Amino acid sequence: MERFLGLKHVEDTTSLSLKKSLLDVLAQYGLSIYRLRGQGYDGASNIRGEFNGLQKQIRDENPHAFYVHCFAHQLQLVIVVVSTCCSSFSDFFNYVSLIVTSASSSCRRKDILIAEHRNTILEKLDGGEIFSGKGKHQRTSLVRPGDTRWGSHFTTLLRIENMWDSVTRVLSMVHGDERNPGRAAGLLKKMESFAFVLNMKLMLKVLRITNELSLLLQKKDQNIIQAMPLLVDVKTRLVNLRNEGWEPLFEEVKAFCVAKKIKLPDFSERRPRWGRSRLDDDLITKEHHYRVDTFLAALDAILTEMDHRFNEVSSELLICFSCLDPRDSFSMFDLEKIARITEIYDQDFSIVDHSNIRDELETFILHVRRVDDFRACHDFASLAIKLVQSKAHLGFPLVYHIIELALLLPVATASVERAFSAMNIIKTDLRNKMNDEWLKDLTLCYIEKEIFRELDPEKIKMTFQSMKDRKMSLPPKRPRCS
């Protein structure tokens, strides 16, 4: 159960300062660093550094505080790396950002445009549903992609695809309206090209595969054993897309270009490699450029980055935990690997426990495979609940403690990231000089709003009134008008 404890002021962001602040917070709540069993932070170098990062300094004092970099954050970084894997994708995302900015600029000038050409604009933009209005009155809008906002690239490209006709019309209007209209015209020409459509369709396929996993990884009730097979499944889909997805994607892109009256290039025409001059005599066909230098290059970069970033999945600890996965009647059960966990967490298990764990595991697997209630268990959380409900955790205390250790390992720090985002809402320009205590109290009320909604306002007023003598009493609660 995650609860926001508050904000801690730090003088600097070095790993030593962060460690001191963390230890102070643990001491404030009576928690010992030697009972820590999992660490979850973002991917900053002063945090995840293997030699001098915060997680390493914590593990130097407590080797059982295993560090797991937020899976959801890593998945987002895997997708972001595509924009730097080759210059063609880097240019593509730059153009996407410029298209969104240029189209949005027409909204910022809507007081001029709509005043002069209101009827024409509303007719061209299908009833004003694309860029008109604010808040709940705005039916659909383009959003700028950002490296730190999960799913932002997917949302941006999806809306460009769905609103293709309207976006091109807006760029045409911006071209006619601007004093220097060259950029909008250039963006329109870039959009109506086979290369842009190919990059857009390819990234949409990749992002559709990974976006669902990203949302699942951000759930509070997600555990480490659930996340591992999800990552394997997504990687398998990406491998299948690389090996078998070119022809279907190629036909889909050509069909889109025909529907939008975009000229198809001569795929047998020879051209220099991206970033090379024709004088280099390194010419390839356009079909080779799109298939090898674009499609395969992007997917190879993603798969390589997944192997690099998700190396925790192949670690000994998680492999041992996965052998207790309850799915398919504990099909992955491996007695020796599960018993190895008691050696990794040697402070949690005594010498007697090391001797008894194998016998307990043999009895445990016979019990759970015999009792029908355990067949519905699909992860560690449901298994732990079923063990407690049936009182079986009392008969298998060592196995239950292993499950507890697995549930403690953090999968994602999405809730922590949302807490940091809440500070932007609370500490506005008008309140940018508040002290730490006031900021902490406001942040606590905002983040834990579910708890505060259940409090009785009358009790809050009575408590506030009794804190000290005041010049006047707070007014009583007024009855609601029917």
Side-chain angles (χ1 to χ4, degrees), residues 401-448:
H401 190 49
I402 291 176
I403 296 173
E404 286 181 314
L405 292 171
L407 291 173
L408 285 176
L409 288 178
V411 176
T413 58
S415 57
V416 180
E417 298 286 351
R418 295 187 186 104
F420 277 106
S421 299
M423 293 175 60
N424 296 327
I425 301 173
I426 296 169
K427 196 169 185 178
T428 61
D429 293 338
L430 297 177
R431 296 188 295 191
N432 62 351
K433 293 184 179 180
M434 67 174 69
N435 59 32
D436 292 344
E437 193 67 26
W438 181 229
L439 176 61
K440 174 183 175 181
D441 293 340
L442 289 178
T443 308
L444 178 64
C445 294
Y446 181 85
I447 294 174
E448 298 292 348

Side-chain angles (χ1 to χ4, degrees), residues 30-64:
L31 302 173
S32 171
I33 188 177
Y34 300 105
R35 297 295 296 167
L36 193 64
R37 292 296 178 265
Q39 302 181 71
Y41 314 105
D42 66 3
S45 57
N46 59 339
I47 295 291
R48 66 175 304 205
E50 297 182 7
F51 302 104
N52 199 36
L54 173 62
Q55 63 91 12
K56 181 62 169 61
Q57 295 194 27
I58 296 295
R59 289 202 64 185
D60 287 342
E61 294 194 30
N62 178 8
H64 301 109

